[in-house]
């Protein structure tokens, strides 16, 4: 893709996903079409979360004293917090932070709720808007100052190994979500300087955009007992001891929607995975003067039977040229199109076109249409997934020579390098190459690409958003 940034900007506008002309930097309006996609993404995420978490809703504002309690956490966010200082004309006694994330809103309440080991574990999540005064270049959905779709989970457990297990559960949930959206990912154990502020360790999901820059699309953090100690959250064990519990948190944002648009879309517009396509199938009746009724009756019959089976179908019977209808179908990324005209009825068939491949196939009207179309939709999802994973995997290259990193990665690849694991050495690699170490990918024996020390770590290095 020639100019990904421009293409992404255009598609958000032309497919009416969001309107980024809102007069505050980093904030946009969700338009009806975009909002529907967001709704189906959230529906899937909530389905996965609800299996083992309870949904809650915490306030937007956090007292300054609570936000300031956890030293490392507040340091990590101090440049990014928006403050409410006045109520009307009156200056507030205590400044109130607009949540950049909700640890410091939720954990004081955990301290009130948790008394005994029988109160544990607690696993909650909420989907809210958060605000971060991002200083890096903002981009719609990708780096925003108002994150409108922040689904954050917070869990608390008796033992450290349970928190470690929960990190794996968080990872497993996100894997399922990204698989169902056909978004490829690499999971990285972030280097210490890129951990979530206050976390013991952070695992991040990175995907590759079409301009070959990686985008962090989700993170899962093990918080250890740091926050429990800060917020004095204690529980009584079965033996009557008082202990600090262990915590995790994990979250994702509008970036998930950005990546599904960016990864699958093409020059003609959106290509939506069937699961989140607001309309999955559009029927275009080809109407000639005297045969209109018959075609429309059949189109409605097909629509009704597909809808009964839970599919999202529309009939595009607008009185405009078919060419314009096809153009809109392509732009909106509807996975399947059915063309139905008088000649098709005579031959007892319909023509199905796939949005992802633009290939056409004839299908007999005698077939079980529900199962035929469902199998088309699942094939589309599988093919989108395969194509996206192939694209990412083709851009991952092993590099053994420090001088080659910059060129190889800058020309559009994720590099795999051996690194000793020492922070200073890692930061030196980042400085020399002007790239980011994403974290450990796998292990092997070898020597560090920068300092030559023995190492077992293979890490990814890339240009990032
Ligand atoms: C946490 N606390 O907050 P995290 N624009 C769009 N997406 C963003 C932005 C932004 N400005 N900043 C972050 N994200 C933890 C976990 C509760 C939940 C997205 O973690 O700071 C990124 O994909 O890592 C990021 O991985 C995710 O939100 C969670 O934010």
């Amino acid at each position: 893709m020639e100019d990904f940034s421009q293409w992404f900007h255009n598609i958000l506008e032309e497919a009416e996903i969001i309107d980024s002309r809102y007069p505050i930097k980093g904030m946009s309006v969700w338009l009806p079409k975009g909002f529907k996609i967001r709704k189906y993404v959230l529906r899937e995420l909530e389905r996965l979360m609800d299996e083992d978490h309870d949904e809650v809703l915490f306030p937007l504002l956090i007292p300054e004293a609570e936000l300031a309690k956890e030293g490392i956490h507040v340091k990590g966010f101090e440049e990014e917090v928006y403050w409410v200082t006045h109520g009307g004309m009156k200056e507030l006694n205590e400044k109130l932070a607009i949540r950049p994330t909700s640890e410091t809103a939720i954990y004081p309440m955990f301290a009130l709720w948790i008394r005994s080991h029988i109160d544990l574990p607690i696993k909650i999540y909420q989907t809210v808007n958060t605000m971060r005064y991002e200083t890096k270049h903002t981009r719609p959905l990708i780096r925003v100052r108002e994150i409108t779709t922040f689904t954050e989970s917070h869990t608390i457990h008796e033992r450290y190994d349970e928190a470690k297990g929960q990190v794996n559960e968080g990872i497993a949930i996100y894997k399922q979500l990204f698989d169902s959206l056909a978004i490829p990912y690499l999971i990285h154990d972030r280097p210490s300087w890129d951990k979530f502020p206050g976390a013991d360790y952070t695992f991040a999901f990175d995907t590759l955009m079409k301009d070959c820059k990686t985008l962090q699309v989700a993170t899962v953090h093990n918080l250890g007992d740091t926050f429990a100690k800060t917020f004095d959250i204690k529980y009584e064990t079965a033996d009557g001891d008082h202990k600090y519990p262990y915590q995790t948190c994990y979250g994702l944002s509008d970036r998930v929607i950005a990546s599904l648009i960016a990864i699958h879309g093409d020059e003609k517009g959106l290509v939506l995975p069937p699961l989140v396509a607001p309309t999955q199938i559009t029927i275009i009746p080809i109407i000639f003067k005297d045969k209109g009724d018959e075609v429309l009756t059949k189109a409605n019959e097909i629509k009704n039977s597909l809808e009964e089976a839970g599919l999202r179908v529309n009939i595009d019977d607008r009185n405009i040229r078919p060419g314009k209808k096809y153009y809109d179908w392509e732009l909106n990324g509807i996975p399947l199109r059915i063309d139905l005209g008088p000649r098709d009825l005579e031959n007892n068939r319909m023509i199905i076109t796939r949005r992802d491949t633009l290939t056409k196939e004839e299908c007999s009207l005698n077939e079980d249409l529900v199962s035929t179309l469902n199998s088309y939709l699942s094939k589309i999802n599988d093919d989108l997934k395969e194509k996206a994973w192939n694209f990412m995997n083709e851009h991952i290259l092993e590099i053994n020579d420090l001088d080659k990193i910059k060129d190889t990665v800058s020309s559009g690849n994720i590099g795999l390098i051996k690194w000793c694991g020492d922070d200073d050495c890692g930061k030196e690699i980042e400085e020399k190459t002007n790239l980011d170490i994403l974290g450990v990918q796998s292990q092997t024996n070898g020597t560090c690409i920068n300092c030559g020390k023995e190492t077992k770590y293979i890490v990814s290095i890339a240009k990032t958003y």
Side-chain angles (χ1 to χ4, degrees):
M1 189 159 288
E2 288 269 291
D3 182 349
F4 169 77
S5 242
Q6 190 59 46
W7 171 85
F8 186 62
H9 187 270
N10 291 349
I11 201 169
L12 293 181
E13 187 178 313
E14 284 162 21
E16 297 171 24
I17 305 293
I18 57 162
D19 193 332
S20 54
R21 291 172 300 174
Y22 192 76
I24 302 180
K25 189 173 148 69
M27 299 181 196
S28 302
V29 180
W30 279 100
L31 297 170
K33 284 185 184 170
F35 201 79
K36 287 197 183 89
I37 299 171
R38 177 185 183 274
K39 183 174 76 175
Y40 288 112
V41 170
L42 280 178
R43 193 173 283 183
E44 178 61 6
L45 177 60
E46 283 161 10
R47 188 186 70 75
L48 294 166
M49 296 301 304
D50 288 343
E51 283 175 19
D52 195 30
H53 300 71
D54 290 309
E55 189 171 5
V56 294
L57 186 56
F58 273 73
L60 169 73
L61 298 176
I62 303 172
E64 183 180 22
E66 297 297 348
L67 187 80
K69 264 186 191 157
E70 209 322 287
I72 304 173
H73 184 72
V74 73
K75 188 100 196 89
F77 279 104
E78 70 184 354
E79 306 265 326
E80 293 184 13
V81 177
Y82 282 87
W83 291 101
V84 175
T85 56
H86 285 75
M89 303 298 284
K90 194 167 160 276
E91 196 171 336
L92 300 178
N93 291 335
E94 182 176 22
K95 284 201 294 183
L96 301 171
I98 299 179
R99 61 182 162 219
T101 168
S102 302
E103 284 72 13
T104 57
I106 296 176
Y107 302 166
M109 300 307 292
F110 275 175
L112 300 176
W113 296 345
I114 294 161
R115 287 282 159 266
S116 141
H117 64 101
I118 57 168
D119 299 324
L120 298 172
I122 296 175
K123 303 182 190 185
I124 56 173
Y125 78 97
Q126 60 177 4
T127 299
V128 292
N129 44 1
T130 59
M131 295 190 61
R132 295 184 180 182
Y133 185 73
E134 294 281 355
T135 45
K136 276 197 192 170
H137 183 62
T138 59
R139 272 170 215 277
L141 301 181
I142 290 178
R143 185 175 303 282
V144 291
R145 287 184 172 172
E146 182 183 10
I147 311 176
T148 63
T149 319
F150 192 71
T151 301
E152 54 177 324
S153 308
H154 297 268
T155 73
I156 182 157
H157 310 264
E158 277 184 69
R159 296 191 317 272
Y160 191 66
D161 63 310
E162 288 177 272
K164 275 171 87 175
Q166 191 62 36
V167 164
N168 294 334
E169 185 180 323
I171 291 174
I173 292 172
Y174 290 164
K175 276 185 176 175
Q176 285 184 67
L177 177 74
F178 291 122
D179 285 344
S180 63
L181 301 176
I183 296 174
Y185 48 81
L186 295 170
I187 300 171
H188 292 108
D189 185 355
R190 282 280 186 264
S192 65
W193 63 89
D194 206 13
K195 289 187 310 192
F196 182 67
D200 273 14
Y201 60 86
T202 289
F203 280 107
F205 282 69
D206 295 296
T207 193
L208 189 65
M209 302 300 256
K210 288 224 174 80
D211 57 356
C212 295
K213 279 202 228 169
T214 61
L215 179 68
Q216 175 181 299
V217 282
T219 41
V220 183
H221 315 285
N222 190 335
L223 303 177
D225 59 3
T226 304
F227 285 85
K229 285 181 174 154
T230 305
F231 288 94
D232 200 27
I233 310 171
K234 276 192 201 138
Y235 72 95
E236 190 173 327
T237 65
D239 303 331
D241 292 339
H242 291 268
K243 283 196 166 165
Y244 291 113
Y246 296 90
Q247 292 177 267
T248 79
C249 67
Y250 30 103
L252 32 71
S253 77
D254 310 55
R255 282 185 185 178
V256 175
I257 300 157
S259 53
L260 82 88
I261 291 171
I263 288 170
H264 305 309
D266 63 19
E267 297 294 347
K268 293 179 191 296
L270 298 177
V271 177
L272 293 175
L275 184 74
V276 295
T279 303
Q280 296 166 315
I281 302 165
T282 186
I283 306 176
I284 302 195
I286 317 285
I287 295 171
F288 297 125
K289 277 174 207 124
D290 52 339
K291 298 276 182 143
D293 288 352
E294 222 179 306
V295 172
L296 275 178
T297 308
K298 189 69 192 171
N300 272 300
E301 201 183 290
I302 296 174
K303 175 175 186 268
N304 291 341
S305 70
L306 296 176
E307 278 181 344
E308 263 171 41
L311 294 167
R312 299 189 286 271
V313 188
N314 85 343
I315 298 181
D316 190 349
D317 55 2
R318 289 176 298 166
N319 191 14
I320 52 171
R321 285 180 301 110
K324 167 69 177 139
K325 293 185 187 179
Y326 298 157
Y327 174 87
D328 286 350
W329 163 73
E330 282 173 349
L331 179 63
N332 292 318
I334 300 172
L336 288 173
R337 182 181 100 208
I338 295 176
D339 293 321
L340 192 69
R343 207 167 304 144
D344 297 314
L345 285 191
E346 274 164 29
N347 293 308
N348 202 32
R349 63 165 192 208
M350 58 185 187
I351 311 294
I352 298 179
T353 312
R354 279 172 60 159
R355 171 62 185 90
D356 60 329
T357 53
L358 297 174
T359 47
K360 280 185 189 197
E361 272 176 52
E362 233 180 79
C363 166
S364 160
L365 290 172
N366 289 340
E367 277 184 34
D368 174 355
L369 295 186
V370 170
S371 79
T372 303
L373 288 158
N374 267 324
S375 66
Y376 267 100
L377 292 173
S378 76
K379 180 88 174 84
I380 290 175
N381 198 63
D382 292 348
D383 289 355
L384 284 179
K385 197 162 144 190
E386 190 180 318
K387 191 171 158 202
W389 275 93
N390 284 345
F391 175 82
M392 186 177 78
N393 288 334
E394 281 159 13
H395 288 87
I396 301 175
L397 294 180
E398 261 180 51
I399 308 169
N400 295 313
D401 181 348
L402 190 64
D403 295 332
K404 295 216 173 100
I405 296 183
K406 203 167 173 184
D407 285 347
T408 315
V409 176
S410 300
S411 64
N413 294 294
I414 298 174
L416 289 181
I417 59 168
K418 296 194 184 91
W419 165 52
C420 61
D422 176 75
D423 279 9
D424 288 339
C425 179
K427 286 183 193 162
E428 203 175 293
I429 297 175
E430 288 192 342
E431 261 163 44
K432 283 183 184 167
T433 57
N434 206 14
L435 298 165
D436 291 317
I437 291 182
L438 302 180
V440 177
Q441 248 297 293
S442 56
Q443 302 205 353
T444 182
N445 288 329
T447 53
C448 175
I449 196 166
N450 188 39
C451 69
K453 275 195 210 130
E454 294 260 315
T455 179
K456 53 184 196 305
Y457 302 119
I458 298 195
V459 297
S460 309
I461 185 162
K463 253 191 179 169
T464 60
Y465 268 97

